[in-house]
Coordinates of all heavy atoms in Angstrom, one line a residue:
C1 N -54.8 13.8 31.1 CA -55.5 12.6 31.4 C -54.6 11.6 32.2 O -54.9 11.1 33.3 CB -56.2 12.0 30.3 SG -57.2 10.5 30.7
A2 N -53.5 11.4 31.5 CA -52.5 10.4 32.1 C -52.0 10.8 33.4 O -51.9 10.0 34.4 CB -51.4 10.2 31.1
F3 N -51.6 12.1 33.6 CA -51.2 12.5 34.9 C -52.2 12.3 36.0 O -51.9 11.9 37.1 CB -50.6 14.0 34.8 CG -49.3 14.1 34.3 CD1 -48.9 14.3 33.0 CD2 -48.2 14.0 35.3 CE1 -47.6 14.4 32.6 CE2 -46.9 14.1 34.9 CZ -46.6 14.3 33.5
V4 N -53.4 12.8 35.7 CA -54.5 12.7 36.7 C -54.8 11.2 37.1 O -54.9 10.9 38.3 CB -55.8 13.3 36.1 CG1 -57.0 13.1 37.0 CG2 -55.5 14.9 36.0
L5 N -54.9 10.3 36.0 CA -55.3 8.9 36.4 C -54.1 8.2 37.0 O -54.3 7.4 38.0 CB -55.6 8.3 35.0 CG -56.9 8.7 34.4 CD1 -57.2 7.9 33.2 CD2 -58.1 8.6 35.3
I6 N -52.9 8.5 36.6 CA -51.8 7.8 37.3 C -51.7 8.2 38.8 O -51.4 7.5 39.7 CB -50.5 8.2 36.6 CG1 -50.4 7.4 35.2 CG2 -49.2 7.7 37.4 CD1 -49.4 7.8 34.3
S7 N -52.0 9.5 39.0 CA -52.0 10.1 40.4 C -52.9 9.3 41.2 O -52.7 9.0 42.4 CB -52.2 11.6 40.4 OG -51.1 12.2 39.8
Q8 N -54.2 9.2 40.7 CA -55.3 8.5 41.3 C -54.9 7.0 41.7 O -55.1 6.5 42.8 CB -56.5 8.5 40.5 CG -57.2 9.9 40.5 CD -58.4 9.9 39.5 OE1 -58.7 8.9 38.9 NE2 -58.9 11.2 39.4
E9 N -54.2 6.3 40.7 CA -53.8 5.0 40.9 C -52.8 4.8 41.9 O -52.7 3.8 42.7 CB -53.4 4.4 39.6 CG -54.5 3.9 38.7 CD -55.4 2.9 39.3 OE1 -54.9 1.8 39.7 OE2 -56.6 3.1 39.4
L10 N -51.9 5.8 42.0 CA -50.7 5.7 43.0 C -51.2 6.4 44.4 O -50.3 6.3 45.2 CB -49.6 6.5 42.4 CG -49.0 5.9 41.2 CD1 -47.8 6.7 40.7 CD2 -48.5 4.5 41.3
A11 N -52.4 6.8 44.6 CA -52.8 7.3 45.8 C -52.5 6.4 47.0 O -52.0 7.0 48.1 CB -54.3 7.8 45.8
P12 N -52.8 5.2 47.0 CA -52.4 4.3 48.1 C -50.9 4.3 48.4 O -50.5 4.3 49.6 CB -52.9 2.9 47.8 CG -54.0 3.2 46.8 CD -53.5 4.4 46.0
L13 N -50.1 4.3 47.4 CA -48.6 4.3 47.5 C -48.2 5.6 48.2 O -47.3 5.6 49.1 CB -48.0 4.0 46.2 CG -46.4 4.1 46.1 CD1 -45.9 2.8 47.0 CD2 -45.9 3.9 44.7
Y14 N -48.8 6.7 47.7 CA -48.5 8.0 48.3 C -48.8 8.0 49.8 O -48.1 8.5 50.6 CB -49.3 9.1 47.7 CG -48.9 9.4 46.2 CD1 -49.9 9.9 45.3 CD2 -47.6 9.1 45.7 CE1 -49.5 10.2 44.0 CE2 -47.4 9.3 44.4 CZ -48.3 9.8 43.5 OH -48.0 10.0 42.2
A15 N -50.0 7.5 50.1 CA -50.4 7.4 51.5 C -49.5 6.6 52.4 O -49.1 7.1 53.5 CB -51.9 6.8 51.7
R16 N -48.9 5.5 52.0 CA -48.0 4.7 52.7 C -46.7 5.5 52.8 O -45.9 5.5 53.8 CB -47.7 3.3 52.0 CG -48.9 2.4 52.1 CD -48.5 1.0 51.8 NE -48.1 0.8 50.5 CZ -48.8 0.6 49.4 NH1 -50.2 0.4 49.6 NH2 -48.3 0.4 48.2
F17 N -46.3 6.2 51.8 CA -45.1 7.0 51.8 C -45.1 8.0 52.8 O -44.3 8.2 53.5 CB -44.8 7.6 50.3 CG -43.6 8.5 50.3 CD1 -42.4 8.0 50.1 CD2 -43.8 9.9 50.4 CE1 -41.3 8.8 49.9 CE2 -42.7 10.7 50.3 CZ -41.4 10.2 50.2
H18 N -46.3 8.8 52.9 CA -46.4 9.9 53.8 C -46.5 9.4 55.2 O -46.0 10.0 56.2 CB -47.6 10.7 53.4 CG -47.6 11.4 52.1 ND1 -46.4 12.2 51.8 CD2 -48.3 11.5 51.0 CE1 -46.6 12.7 50.6 NE2 -47.8 12.4 50.1
K19 N -47.1 8.3 55.4 CA -47.2 7.7 56.7 C -45.8 7.3 57.2 O -45.5 7.4 58.4 CB -48.1 6.5 56.7 CG -48.4 5.8 58.1 CD -49.3 4.7 58.0 CE -49.6 4.1 59.4 NZ -50.5 2.9 59.3
R20 N -45.0 6.8 56.3 CA -43.6 6.3 56.6 C -42.7 7.4 57.1 O -42.0 7.4 58.0 CB -43.0 5.5 55.5 CG -41.6 5.2 55.6 CD -41.3 4.2 56.8 NE -39.9 3.8 56.8 CZ -39.0 4.5 57.4 NH1 -39.3 5.7 58.0 NH2 -37.7 4.2 57.4
F21 N -42.7 8.6 56.2 CA -41.8 9.6 56.4 C -42.3 10.9 57.1 O -41.6 11.6 57.6 CB -41.2 10.0 55.0 CG -40.4 9.1 54.4 CD1 -40.9 8.1 53.5 CD2 -39.0 8.9 54.8 CE1 -40.0 7.2 52.8 CE2 -38.3 7.9 54.1 CZ -38.8 7.1 53.2
G22 N -43.7 11.0 57.1 CA -44.3 12.1 57.9 C -43.9 13.5 57.3 O -43.9 14.5 58.2
W23 N -43.8 13.5 56.0 CA -43.4 14.9 55.4 C -44.7 15.7 55.0 O -44.6 16.9 54.8 CB -42.6 14.8 54.2 CG -41.2 14.1 54.5 CD1 -40.7 14.1 55.7 CD2 -40.4 13.5 53.5 NE1 -39.4 13.6 55.6 CE2 -39.2 13.2 54.3 CE3 -40.4 13.4 52.2 CZ2 -38.2 12.6 53.6 CZ3 -39.3 12.8 51.5 CH2 -38.3 12.4 52.2
K24 N -45.8 15.1 55.0 CA -47.0 15.7 54.3 C -47.4 17.0 55.0 O -47.7 17.9 54.2 CB -48.2 14.7 54.5 CG -49.5 15.1 53.7 CD -49.2 15.2 52.2 CE -50.5 15.5 51.4 NZ -50.1 15.7 50.0
G25 N -47.4 17.2 56.2 CA -47.8 18.4 56.9 C -46.7 19.5 57.0 O -47.0 20.6 57.5
K26 N -45.6 19.2 56.4 CA -44.5 20.2 56.6 C -44.5 21.2 55.5 O -44.8 21.0 54.4 CB -43.2 19.5 56.6 CG -43.0 18.5 57.8 CD -41.6 17.8 58.0 CE -41.5 17.0 59.1 NZ -41.7 17.6 60.4
R27 N -44.2 22.5 55.9 CA -44.2 23.5 54.8 C -43.3 23.4 53.7 O -43.7 23.6 52.6 CB -44.0 24.9 55.6 CG -44.1 26.1 54.7 CD -43.9 27.4 55.5 NE -45.0 27.5 56.5 CZ -45.1 28.5 57.4 NH1 -44.2 29.6 57.3 NH2 -46.0 28.6 58.2
W28 N -42.1 22.9 54.0 CA -41.2 22.7 52.9 C -41.7 21.7 51.9 O -41.4 21.8 50.7 CB -39.8 22.3 53.4 CG -39.7 20.9 54.0 CD1 -39.9 20.6 55.3 CD2 -39.4 19.7 53.3 NE1 -39.7 19.2 55.5 CE2 -39.4 18.6 54.2 CE3 -39.2 19.4 51.9 CZ2 -39.2 17.3 53.9 CZ3 -39.0 18.1 51.6 CH2 -39.0 17.0 52.5
Y29 N -42.3 20.6 52.4 CA -42.8 19.6 51.5 C -44.1 20.2 50.6 O -44.1 19.9 49.4 CB -43.3 18.4 52.2 CG -43.6 17.2 51.4 CD1 -42.6 16.5 50.7 CD2 -44.9 16.8 51.1 CE1 -42.8 15.4 49.8 CE2 -45.2 15.7 50.2 CZ -44.2 15.1 49.6 OH -44.5 14.0 48.8
A30 N -44.8 21.0 51.2 CA -46.0 21.6 50.5 C -45.4 22.5 49.4 O -45.9 22.5 48.3 CB -46.8 22.4 51.5
T31 N -44.3 23.2 49.7 CA -43.7 24.0 48.6 C -43.1 23.2 47.5 O -43.2 23.4 46.4 CB -42.5 24.9 49.3 OG1 -43.0 25.6 50.3 CG2 -41.8 25.8 48.3
F32 N -42.5 22.0 47.9 CA -41.9 21.1 46.8 C -43.1 20.6 46.0 O -43.0 20.5 44.8 CB -41.3 19.9 47.6 CG -41.2 18.6 46.7 CD1 -40.3 18.7 45.8 CD2 -42.0 17.6 46.8 CE1 -40.2 17.6 44.9 CE2 -41.8 16.5 46.0 CZ -40.9 16.4 45.0
E33 N -44.4 20.3 46.6 CA -45.4 19.7 45.8 C -45.9 20.8 44.9 O -46.3 20.5 43.7 CB -46.6 19.3 46.8 CG -46.3 18.1 47.6 CD -47.5 17.7 48.4 OE1 -47.8 18.5 49.3 OE2 -48.0 16.6 48.3
M34 N -46.0 22.0 45.3 CA -46.5 23.1 44.4 C -45.4 23.3 43.3 O -45.8 23.6 42.1 CB -46.6 24.5 45.1 CG -47.9 24.3 46.1 SD -48.2 25.9 46.9 CE -47.0 25.9 48.2
A35 N -44.2 23.3 43.6 CA -43.1 23.5 42.5 C -43.1 22.3 41.6 O -43.1 22.6 40.4 CB -41.8 23.6 43.2
R36 N -43.3 21.1 42.1 CA -43.4 19.9 41.1 C -44.7 20.0 40.2 O -44.5 19.8 39.0 CB -43.6 18.7 42.0 CG -43.8 17.4 41.3 CD -44.2 16.3 42.2 NE -45.5 16.6 42.8 CZ -46.1 16.0 43.8 NH1 -45.4 15.0 44.5 NH2 -47.2 16.4 44.3
T37 N -45.8 20.5 40.8 CA -47.0 20.5 39.9 C -46.8 21.7 38.9 O -47.2 21.5 37.8 CB -48.2 20.9 40.8 OG1 -48.4 19.8 41.7 CG2 -49.5 20.9 39.9
F38 N -46.2 22.7 39.3 CA -45.9 23.9 38.4 C -45.0 23.4 37.2 O -45.3 23.7 36.1 CB -45.3 25.0 39.2 CG -45.0 26.2 38.3 CD1 -46.0 27.1 37.9 CD2 -43.6 26.5 38.0 CE1 -45.7 28.2 37.2 CE2 -43.3 27.7 37.3 CZ -44.4 28.5 36.8
F39 N -44.0 22.7 37.6 CA -43.1 22.2 36.6 C -43.8 21.3 35.6 O -43.6 21.4 34.4 CB -41.8 21.6 37.2 CG -40.9 21.0 36.2 CD1 -40.1 21.8 35.5 CD2 -40.8 19.6 36.1 CE1 -39.1 21.2 34.6 CE2 -39.9 19.0 35.2 CZ -39.1 19.9 34.3
M40 N -44.6 20.3 36.1 CA -45.2 19.3 35.3 C -46.2 20.0 34.3 O -46.3 19.8 33.1 CB -45.9 18.3 36.1 CG -45.1 17.3 36.8 SD -46.0 15.9 37.5 CE -47.0 16.8 38.7
M41 N -47.0 21.0 34.9 CA -48.0 21.7 34.0 C -47.3 22.6 33.0 O -47.9 22.7 31.8 CB -48.9 22.4 35.0 CG -49.9 21.6 35.9 SD -50.8 20.3 35.0 CE -51.6 21.2 33.8
N42 N -46.2 23.1 33.4 CA -45.5 23.9 32.4 C -45.1 23.1 31.2 O -45.2 23.5 30.0 CB -44.2 24.5 33.0 CG -44.5 25.7 34.0 OD1 -45.7 26.0 34.1 ND2 -43.6 26.2 34.6
L43 N -44.6 21.8 31.5 CA -44.2 21.0 30.3 C -45.3 20.6 29.5 O -45.2 20.5 28.2 CB -43.5 19.7 30.9 CG -42.2 19.9 31.7 CD1 -41.6 18.6 32.1 CD2 -41.1 20.6 30.7
I44 N -46.5 20.3 30.1 CA -47.6 19.9 29.3 C -48.1 21.0 28.5 O -48.5 21.0 27.4 CB -48.7 19.3 30.3 CG1 -48.3 18.1 31.0 CG2 -50.1 19.0 29.6 CD1 -49.2 17.5 32.0
R45 N -48.2 22.2 29.2 CA -48.8 23.4 28.5 C -48.0 23.8 27.3 O -48.6 24.5 26.4 CB -48.9 24.5 29.5 CG -49.8 25.6 29.0 CD -50.2 26.6 30.1 NE -51.0 26.1 31.1 CZ -52.2 25.7 31.0 NH1 -52.9 25.9 29.9 NH2 -52.8 25.2 32.0

């Protein structure tokens, strides 16, 4: 619950970050996002 709600609250900050750096559409960044989520869910599980 905490991870989901915190992500929702930080969504505007994420949007500004992606607009500033332009990484969102890049394949390497998508791989990083998947690895990050996998690591976080492993710790919770």
